[in-house]
């Protein structure tokens, strides 16, 4: 039953239910178990609302240069600056994919964001593949017209003989 004196409580309760906070975080860490000669691979982890997805950053660093608390390389050496630049770029790309997916999807998981970052999925198509699909009919027409011209050329030479 509806009571006008308590309607504000109902609206407040419904508003709280509709506003869901989403947690999103990207962190980087090194995989110490894959250490070779003091060099370790850098991994990434995306966490969204409790879902976790991990991936390789395709970067390696000297174990002594890694700051575990800061999730990045220590110092100002060329190696540290280059790695930190790459990690900032990766983080920006992941954030961009998360925002795009959040705009389109009602529910976004860490795996969805990781897959979008890695180019896995039906939605993402490489420019080269898209270009190839668009130009394929043109290629066929060119080949057919070249074959037609070649056939005419061959037939006209036979007449000359």
């Amino acid at each position: 039953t509806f009571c006008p004196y308590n309607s504000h409580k109902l609206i407040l309760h419904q508003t709280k239910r509709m506003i869901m906070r989403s947690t999103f975080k990207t962190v980087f860490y090194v995989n110490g178990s894959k250490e070779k000669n003091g060099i370790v691979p850098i991994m990434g982890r995306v966490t969204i609302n409790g879902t976790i997805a991990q991936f390789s950053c395709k970067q390696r660093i000297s174990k002594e240069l890694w700051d575990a608390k800061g999730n990045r390389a220590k110092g100002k050496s060329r190696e540290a600056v280059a790695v930190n630049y790459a990690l900032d770029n990766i983080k920006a790309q992941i954030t961009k994919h998360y925002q795009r997916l959040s705009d389109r999807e009602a529910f976004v998981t860490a795996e969805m964001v990781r897959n979008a970052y890695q180019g896995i999925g039906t939605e993402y198509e490489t420019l080269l593949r898209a270009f190839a699909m668009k130009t394929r009919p043109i290629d066929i027409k060119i080949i057919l017209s070249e074959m037609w011209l070649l056939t005419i050329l061959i037939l006209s030479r036979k007449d000359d003989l």
Side-chain angles (χ1 to χ4, degrees), residues 3-16:
C3 175
Y5 298 108
N6 291 331
S7 64
H8 69 284
K9 290 180 184 177
L10 178 64
I11 292 169
L12 182 62
H13 179 69
Q14 286 176 340
T15 305
K16 282 184 182 177

Side-chain angles (χ1 to χ4, degrees), residues 28 86-99:
F28 300 106
L87 296 180
D88 289 341
N89 187 19
I90 291 169
K91 192 169 191 170
Q93 288 180 48
I94 287 173
T95 302
K96 177 186 73 171
H97 287 294
Y98 171 69
Q99 289 170 344

Side-chain angles (χ1 to χ4, degrees), residues 94-144:
I94 287 173
T95 302
K96 177 186 73 171
H97 287 294
Y98 171 69
Q99 289 170 344
R100 273 196 194 146
L101 286 167
S102 294
D103 289 344
R104 277 188 250 127
E105 304 291 334
F107 184 71
V108 179
T109 65
E111 187 177 2
M112 290 166 69
V113 173
R114 180 199 57 202
N115 289 346
Y117 165 70
Q118 293 179 331
I120 300 170
T122 57
E123 175 184 353
Y124 296 94
E125 185 175 43
T126 65
L127 183 59
L128 191 59
R129 184 178 296 144
F131 181 76
M133 293 303 290
K134 293 288 183 188
T135 58
R136 185 169 288 147
I138 295 169
D139 292 343
I140 291 169
K141 288 177 186 174
I142 291 170
I143 290 168
L144 289 174

Side-chain angles (χ1 to χ4, degrees), residues 14-132:
Q14 286 176 340
T15 305
K16 282 184 182 177
R17 263 195 306 169
M18 287 172 39
I19 300 172
M20 281 184 53
R21 291 188 66 194
S22 178
T23 61
F24 169 71
K25 191 168 190 171
T26 304
V27 294
F28 300 106
Y29 63 97
V30 294
N31 188 347
S33 66
K34 306 257 180 172
E35 178 183 350
K36 285 187 182 175
N37 302 324
I39 306 295
V40 288
I42 301 174
M43 305 294 289
R45 180 184 300 125
V46 177
T47 308
I48 301 173
N49 298 330
T51 63
I52 297 170
Q54 300 178 75
F55 58 93
S56 169
C57 293
K58 308 281 192 254
Q59 297 285 319
R60 298 183 157 279
I61 191 165
S62 173
K63 196 171 185 178
E64 298 85 39
L65 282 179
W66 186 252
D67 177 12
K69 287 186 180 180
N71 297 316
R72 47 196 309 109
K74 295 184 240 179
K76 304 258 184 204
S77 67
R78 274 189 194 176
E79 183 182 7
V81 170
V83 165
N84 287 336
Y85 179 79
L87 296 180
D88 289 341
N89 187 19
I90 291 169
K91 192 169 191 170
Q93 288 180 48
I94 287 173
T95 302
K96 177 186 73 171
H97 287 294
Y98 171 69
Q99 289 170 344
R100 273 196 194 146
L101 286 167
S102 294
D103 289 344
R104 277 188 250 127
E105 304 291 334
F107 184 71
V108 179
T109 65
E111 187 177 2
M112 290 166 69
V113 173
R114 180 199 57 202
N115 289 346
Y117 165 70
Q118 293 179 331
I120 300 170
T122 57
E123 175 184 353
Y124 296 94
E125 185 175 43
T126 65
L127 183 59
L128 191 59
R129 184 178 296 144
F131 181 76

